[in-house]
Amino acid sequence: MRLVFRARRAVTAAGEGAFDVGVDGETVTAVEPYGTLRGDRAVELGEDVVLLPGLVDTHVHVNDPGRSEWEGFETATRAAAAGGVTTIVDMPLNSLPPTVDVAALDLKRKTAAGRVHVDVGFWGGAIPGNAGELRALHAEGVFGFKCFLLHSGVDEFPPLGDEELEGDLRLLRDLGALMIIHAEDSETIEHAPQPHGRHYGDFLGSRPREAENRAIARVIELARRTGARVHILHLSSSDALPLIAAAREDGVSLTVETCPHYLTFTAEEIADGATQFKCCPPIREAGNREQLWQGLADGLIDFVVSDHSPCTPELKRFDSGDFGEAWGGISSLQVGLPAVWTGARARGFGLADVVRWMAERPAAQVGLTHKGRIAAGADADFCVFAPDEEFVVDVANLRHRNPVSAYHGRSLTGAVRSTWLRGKEITGEPRGRLLVRGRK
């Protein structure tokens, strides 16, 4: 073996403990008890750090090409690497054009080529009128398809109605492909009070839990009817957990994610005009947050991903602080691991739980069996993590493009010391790869 990581603490597929991890080239070749492997070179890790697999974030809006002033492949992947994330899957919208046909996918890949610091895959988009494009996108290796049930925030990515959604689900069932869904009910939101002004409570009232609950119930019914695989994005309403549990008992093929911001922040603490906290669906009350943590403990929520959705500072409307006018999205790609770990350890969870939620399960969902775990045959993707180191988030130290984040000023525990992609530490030159579903 050319390289051996000697870790007094590591979270591997064999469990948590003291391990030597052998690497040859880009691949893990052995995981053995600490002090037993020999190699050409050794990386001795201190007692204050834990060797984790590189995280896998399957919900990232890079916005490139077309809105690269919001973010971009170089800046987004630098932020990912700084946060211990070694693989991202890019969302099909907010870039121009959206990834709804093969030509747009080709353009996105050309834009990303040679600029990424971590490995990057792509979702396709399902919108009205593009059902004929889904098969070709699937053949080109997207990891699945995203749709909305209400206005997405950008006109070029409109929502699917029930009839179109059902038709697409039948097609994706036959392809063996996954549909990932922004599940909020447009009719419920249309009849809710409209968002306005600086008070967060007014915005929260405009996106009630019932909008998520009704949409998730519709998705479950359509999944049951079609036999398709479906995934609920960024769950924020804990009221939907019993629906999810019942659907799984009935054999519906359903997975669910939530995000660090729903597990960290509460509606009660968001100040007037603090539009950096605006996202859709919204951050809800403290009791709701605790029920989401319980959903993770119970296995009803499968994993945690960032929904990194940045924009320029101007679009956050800090001039007016008007939640109705501000862009909805939270920039969190770099701080997701410490945010989740801070909350997890306070509730009695361990690092193995965090690895399961933020590496192993998201990798498995998209078929990246060589990612998200430390085991023989897997990519040598690692995060060297100091779980007891405390710090205060400063946007000046974040690597994404624009200095806006809801986490600014937040005290967190757990710092990423280094990140390794396929056996080499990520330091400067971009050496990430563009991933294709079904290929290593």
Side-chain angles (χ1 to χ4, degrees):
M1 275 165 285
R2 296 178 181 174
L3 179 62
V4 174
F5 286 81
R6 301 195 190 285
R8 292 172 177 83
R9 292 183 64 190
V11 178
T12 76
E16 183 172 355
F19 290 100
D20 285 354
V21 178
V23 175
D24 195 351
E26 300 183 342
T27 306
V28 175
T29 53
V31 179
E32 298 292 344
Y34 180 80
T36 60
L37 290 180
R38 298 292 178 265
D40 297 337
R41 183 165 70 94
V43 176
E44 297 278 356
L45 300 180
E47 295 182 357
D48 62 332
V49 298
V50 184
L51 185 68
L52 308 179
L55 305 188
V56 177
D57 192 335
T58 55
H59 195 150
V60 178
H61 294 268
V62 179
N63 308 334
D64 199 5
R67 291 190 173 97
S68 57
E69 70 276 14
W70 294 17
E71 190 57 283
F73 281 105
E74 185 171 5
T75 51
T77 57
R78 279 187 185 277
V85 178
T86 52
T87 304
I88 67 170
V89 186
D90 172 59
M91 283 291 165
L93 74 157
N94 298 347
S95 54
L96 291 170
T99 316
V100 295
D101 55 37
V102 171
L105 176 64
D106 288 345
L107 177 60
K108 184 166 281 193
R109 284 174 169 162
K110 289 176 183 176
T111 303
R115 299 175 57 213
V116 295
H117 295 269
V118 303
D119 289 350
V120 179
F122 302 95
W123 295 106
I127 63 172
N130 87 321
E133 303 287 345
L134 303 185
R135 189 179 299 274
L137 280 165
H138 180 74
E140 284 295 316
V142 298
F143 285 87
F145 298 88
K146 179 177 185 177
C147 72
F148 278 74
L149 304 185
L150 78 172
H151 194 278
S152 69
V154 291
D155 292 338
E156 67 273 5
F157 202 96
L160 291 177
D162 282 359
E163 184 175 342
E164 293 165 308
L165 176 57
E166 182 171 351
D168 284 354
L169 287 176
R170 293 187 186 280
L171 172 61
L172 298 190
R173 175 202 61 200
D174 294 343
L175 293 174
L178 175 69
M179 182 72 90
I180 64 174
I181 302 171
H182 183 124
E184 289 182 283
D185 180 67
S186 59
E187 183 177 351
T188 301
I189 290 175
E190 286 171 6
H191 288 88
Q194 294 304 297
H196 61 87
R198 295 172 53 83
H199 184 49
Y200 183 76
D202 293 333
F203 169 66
L204 183 59
S206 75
R207 314 288 290 217
R209 297 188 199 195
E210 184 61 22
E212 278 190 87
N213 304 338
R214 289 183 64 182
I216 290 170
R218 284 165 53 209
V219 168
I220 289 170
E221 178 55 34
L222 288 172
R224 181 183 286 112
R225 189 184 307 168
T226 62
R229 295 168 55 216
V230 297
H231 175 75
I232 301 299
L233 296 164
H234 45 49
L235 179 71
S236 102
S237 171
S238 63
D239 292 350
L241 292 171
L243 297 173
I244 293 162
R248 288 184 175 166
E249 288 176 4
D250 290 345
V252 176
S253 183
L254 172 70
T255 52
V256 181
E257 70 184 45
T258 193
C259 303
H261 40 277
Y262 301 128
L263 299 170
T264 300
F265 304 116
T266 65
E268 293 91 337
E269 68 183 302
I270 298 176
D272 289 352
T275 54
Q276 65 269 32
F277 290 92
K278 180 181 176 179
C279 57
C280 298
I283 294 163
R284 303 192 188 277
E285 301 84 356
N288 181 87
R289 177 186 66 181
E290 297 312 307
Q291 288 301 310
L292 293 177
W293 278 106
Q294 188 60 49
L296 278 169
D298 295 340
L300 294 176
I301 299 173
D302 297 273
F303 53 80
V304 184
V305 285
S306 69
D307 190 9
H308 178 72
S309 185
C311 66
T312 61
E314 294 77 17
L315 289 174
K316 277 296 186 182
R317 295 307 308 268
F318 294 124
D319 56 341
S320 67
D322 191 318
F323 280 95
E325 296 178 354
W327 174 260
I330 289 181
S331 299
S332 58
L333 187 52
Q334 187 171 332
V335 296
L337 174 56
V340 172
W341 171 236
T342 299
R345 74 185 305 190
R347 292 166 176 83
F349 297 105
L351 278 170
D353 298 307
V354 175
V355 165
R356 186 170 62 254
W357 299 332
M358 302 189 77
E360 178 185 332
R361 285 182 177 171
Q365 187 210 40
V366 294
L368 292 172
T369 56
H370 56 295
K371 299 286 190 182
R373 59 198 181 95
I374 299 176
D379 283 1
D381 297 350
F382 307 123
C383 167
V384 178
F385 186 63
D388 299 321
E389 183 174 331
E390 298 179 357
F391 70 103
V392 176
V393 179
D394 184 341
V395 289
N397 297 326
L398 300 181
R399 303 292 184 88
H400 63 260
R401 186 175 298 280
N402 291 293
V404 177
S405 176
Y407 288 91
H408 178 65
R410 189 84 176 187
S411 295
L412 298 177
T413 302
V416 174
R417 294 280 179 82
S418 64
T419 305
W420 297 68
L421 178 66
R422 289 179 276 104
K424 293 184 178 180
E425 186 174 1
I426 300 173
T427 55
E429 291 300 313
R431 47 179 298 272
R433 291 178 179 162
L434 304 186
L435 302 174
V436 177
R437 190 199 72 261
R439 299 183 201 167
K440 191 169 187 283

